[in-house]
Amino acid sequence: TPLAHASDGSPLSYATPTQLAFLGWLSQTTRLVPVTARSLDALRRVRIPFAAAVCAHGGVLLTDDGAVDRDWAGEITEAAARHGPALDRLADAVRTEAARRSVNLTVRVQTEEGVPLYVVAKHPSADEAALHAVADTVATFPLDGWTTHRNGNNVAWMPPYLGKAKAVRRLLPRLRAAHPDTPIIGIGDSLTDAAFMAQCDFAMTPTGSQLARAFRP
């Protein structure tokens, strides 16, 4: 069943019957707060009920009424102003290395409301090996304090101020104050999700996920 659509209306992401049942249970029994790398626009094209949310790897924080948290947006905008040139240089380095290897990648600086947040690269034919080979070489780029996210056909480089864990750290006190006895379950599938999940009372991951594979005995 398609649950998310591209901007042109075509199906983009799908859910199995088991996933739909799980989502139904969550929507009926919890306050569902997405914590996602998707942009705000992309999240709004996902057909799930939610209140607050973390989008764009933590670059955007939504309040309970679905509005952008302007205090958080101001902090991100101020930090991004210092890292914008570095993001452009990194994107150019990825493109240069991809061209040197004759690898066709889609590379862009992801922005929200005109604010540059992180660099993301994907392979149009989902050749993960070729994508990651480029990322391995670009790892020599000076990225002190940066986070590199790799999961499937998706590589993102995030400056020090950005990350899901940082936005969740801002959001959690608000949730705990409003619902002091409600357990908070962090659900994620990528290695980079572990940091925000560790702030919650419980952590959950699909058994076939990147995160689960890393800890499988």
Side-chain angles (χ1 to χ4, degrees), residues 1-215:
T1 301
L3 284 187
H5 294 79
S7 56
D8 63 2
S10 60
L12 184 65
S13 300
Y14 299 82
T16 66
T18 299
Q19 291 168 334
L20 285 175
F22 180 58
L23 180 60
W25 173 74
L26 287 175
S27 64
Q28 293 170 20
T29 61
T30 72
R31 292 179 58 84
L32 186 58
V33 180
V35 179
T36 178
R38 291 175 187 260
S39 67
L40 176 55
D41 176 62
L43 178 61
R44 285 175 170 163
R45 288 186 269 107
V46 178
R47 292 167 44 204
I48 61 172
F50 64 88
V54 172
C55 314
H57 280 297
V60 177
L61 186 59
L62 298 185
T63 59
D64 286 347
D65 59 1
V68 173
D69 185 319
R70 287 300 166 190
D71 290 337
W72 183 250
E75 293 179 28
I76 291 294
T77 299
E78 182 178 349
R82 299 191 298 270
H83 289 84
L87 288 167
D88 289 334
R89 289 195 301 271
L90 177 56
D92 287 341
V94 176
R95 295 187 188 101
T96 298
E97 179 61 22
R100 189 182 73 81
R101 292 172 173 265
S102 298
V103 176
N104 180 26
L105 297 184
T106 300
V107 183
R108 71 179 187 277
V109 176
Q110 179 65 41
T111 64
E112 288 286 346
E113 295 186 329
V115 178
L117 296 177
Y118 60 91
V119 175
V120 60
K122 298 184 179 183
H123 193 285
S125 301
D127 187 339
E128 297 175 14
L131 170 62
H132 292 181
V134 172
D136 287 340
T137 302
V138 176
T140 60
F141 192 87
L143 297 173
D144 292 341
W146 288 49
T147 299
T148 302
H149 165 84
R150 298 192 194 194
N151 197 350
N153 189 37
N154 188 310
V155 179
W157 293 267
M158 293 170 279
Y161 64 86
L162 195 67
K164 294 176 184 177
K166 294 178 174 62
V168 168
R169 191 174 298 117
R170 171 64 66 89
L171 179 62
L172 278 181
R174 185 192 312 165
L175 292 179
R176 295 190 189 281
H179 313 280
D181 299 320
T182 299
I184 297 176
I185 305 171
I187 305 175
D189 64 354
S190 300
L191 291 174
T192 51
D193 289 333
F196 94 76
M197 294 163 66
Q199 299 179 54
C200 303
D201 299 310
F202 300 92
M204 179 185 298
T205 188
T207 54
S209 68
Q210 180 189 58
L211 189 56
R213 292 195 301 270
F215 292 98

